[in-house]
């Protein structure tokens, strides 16, 4: 039997299912955030964060809702980035979680930055934190 690692599109679909399962109070605001899945973080992001390609599995790029102001001039849409290869690498190294659970964890963690959630807030949604 031949096994193929999930594509960026398949990981994106899994992440979209996580967003769709958020509590109703958060779904509409989460749907306003762009969701991008790519192989690795772009070089400019890695440089800005002083990170290596496999160190970053996800990133929130935007202004958290708790800090937004009517005076903000956004440079682009708030975006949650997921990085396929680092996610797959972490999943393979851990060996103790499903890929779906890891994608959900990274997705929720990045949306937590968007919503300005505390760790207690995250724990109410993401079993990983409990």
């Amino acid at each position: 039997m031949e096994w193929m690692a999930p594509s960026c599109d398949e990981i994106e679909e899994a992440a979209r299912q996580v967003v769709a399962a958020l509590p109703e109070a958060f779904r509409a605001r989460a749907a306003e955030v762009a969701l991008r899945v790519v192989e690795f973080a772009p070089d400019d992001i890695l440089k800005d964060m002083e990170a290596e390609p496999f160190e970053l599995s996800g990133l929130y790029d935007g202004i958290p809702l708790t800090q937004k102001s009517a005076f903000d001039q956004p440079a682009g849409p708030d975006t949650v980035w997921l990085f396929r290869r680092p996610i797959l690498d972490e999943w393979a190294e851990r060996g103790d979680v499903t890929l779906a659970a890891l994608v959900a964890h990274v997705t929720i963690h990045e949306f937590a930055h968007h919503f300005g959630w505390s760790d207690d807030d995250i724990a109410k949604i993401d079993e990983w934190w409990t």
Side-chain angles (χ1 to χ4, degrees):
M1 177 169 85
E2 188 172 319
W3 186 83
M4 299 283 293
S7 67
C8 288
D9 289 342
E10 290 168 318
I11 289 178
E12 180 179 337
E13 179 55 33
R16 289 194 185 286
Q17 290 175 9
V18 170
V19 173
L22 288 172
E24 189 172 338
F26 299 107
R27 261 182 250 142
R29 296 305 296 262
E32 296 171 358
V33 176
L35 180 61
R36 298 212 40 211
V37 181
V38 295
E39 292 296 317
F40 290 100
D43 290 339
D44 60 323
I45 290 175
L46 291 172
K47 184 178 177 183
D48 287 348
M49 298 193 71
E50 299 178 359
E52 295 296 320
F54 280 97
E55 292 178 333
L56 198 58
S57 57
L59 177 73
Y60 170 67
D61 183 14
I63 300 171
L65 292 175
T66 55
Q67 298 174 13
K68 282 193 188 271
S69 161
F71 298 106
D72 289 330
Q73 295 298 316
D78 289 347
T79 304
V80 165
W81 293 82
L82 300 180
F83 306 118
R84 178 184 170 271
R85 293 285 308 280
I87 288 172
L88 292 176
D89 194 61
E90 180 178 342
W91 172 61
E93 283 181 12
R94 290 180 62 95
D96 65 346
V97 297
T98 66
L99 182 57
L102 182 57
V103 169
H105 171 70
V106 174
T107 301
I108 289 170
H109 179 87
E110 299 313 328
F111 274 95
H113 292 299
H114 174 66
F115 290 113
W117 293 343
S118 69
D119 285 347
D120 288 340
D121 294 330
I122 296 169
K124 292 175 187 172
I125 297 168
D126 186 2
E127 295 173 4
W128 194 294
W129 288 79
T130 58

